[in-house]
Amino acid sequence: EVEVEAKTGVEYEYSSTQCTVCEGEAAEFLQFAASIPDEYLYNGEGKAANDKGKYGREDESHCTVLYGLVGTDCSALRAALKGCGPINMTLGKVSSFENADKPYSVLKVDVESEDLHRLHALIKASCECQVTHPTYHPHVTLAYLRKGFASRYVGDARFEGKKLTFSSLTFSPYEG
């Protein structure tokens, strides 16, 4: 059964749920990110005043299940997940994405998982949430890079085919 664990951190507009990669398995992601030269990293310069995110290298490897939960009460989430089994995922290649209104590229590892898509839909249907991303694309973020540098890493297959299994879901309240 999937358990819900609470987490604190940076304040955001909404609460979220994520599968947090355990320390041993996260080492590969962190090592890859550490190999990226500092001058390629985006560290928040030029960001909007209301953009409270953390940038540079990701220091906590995770795969977001749903960002956009309203409030900090996770009782509906716990009830929705009762009886859910383990969450299985398979990693893909390194890829990236950009938003025209953001001054950075997100370097990430693609994730394939029917379990994640099922949980995403279940949480969205069971809990009060604001849809911030209309299409769910599970991934593990490696780093935030200055635009133009992500292409150097896209297609790297070092994580491809690796399988991860989670028995817990982390709930991160928006208030930190």
Side-chain angles (χ1 to χ4, degrees):
E1 185 166 315
V2 174
E3 296 180 28
V4 177
E5 301 171 352
K7 172 188 174 243
T8 59
V10 179
E11 184 173 319
Y12 290 94
E13 189 172 357
Y14 297 105
S15 297
S16 69
T17 55
Q18 66 189 39
C19 292
T20 304
V21 181
C22 72
E23 196 173 308
E25 292 177 322
E28 285 184 79
F29 299 116
L30 300 176
Q31 288 169 357
F32 182 87
S35 74
I36 298 169
D38 290 346
E39 60 269 19
Y40 295 4
L41 298 174
Y42 171 80
N43 285 306
E45 57 277 359
K47 69 179 182 177
N50 65 349
D51 188 354
K52 299 179 181 177
K54 182 193 155 304
Y55 301 100
R57 294 177 185 91
E58 185 63 58
D59 60 4
E60 181 186 67
S61 300
H62 67 276
C63 183
T64 300
V65 179
L66 179 72
Y67 172 80
L69 293 162
V70 176
T72 60
D73 180 7
C74 60
S75 57
L77 176 63
R78 287 182 194 275
L81 297 176
K82 194 164 187 89
C84 287
I87 305 162
N88 296 299
M89 61 181 75
T90 303
L91 302 178
K93 292 182 179 180
V94 173
S95 65
S96 70
F97 68 88
E98 294 182 353
N99 293 317
D101 63 334
K102 302 288 184 185
Y104 54 81
S105 299
V106 177
L107 188 68
K108 64 186 179 71
V109 177
D110 293 326
V111 171
E112 292 292 326
S113 173
E114 291 180 17
D115 293 338
L116 284 172
H117 284 280
R118 180 178 44 83
L119 283 177
H120 177 84
L122 177 65
I123 294 168
K124 197 159 69 168
S126 305
C127 301
E128 183 181 356
C129 62
Q130 178 66 42
V131 176
T132 59
H133 299 87
T135 305
Y136 178 51
H137 296 286
H139 62 274
V140 176
T141 299
L142 297 167
Y144 296 85
L145 303 182
R146 297 176 189 276
K147 285 191 176 180
F149 288 97
S151 62
R152 298 167 192 242
Y153 303 99
V154 170
D156 187 298
R158 73 182 69 205
F159 304 107
E160 191 172 29
K162 181 174 177 142
K163 298 186 182 307
L164 300 176
T165 300
F166 299 86
S167 59
S168 66
L169 195 65
T170 303
F171 174 78
S172 294
Y174 72 87
E175 60 198 4

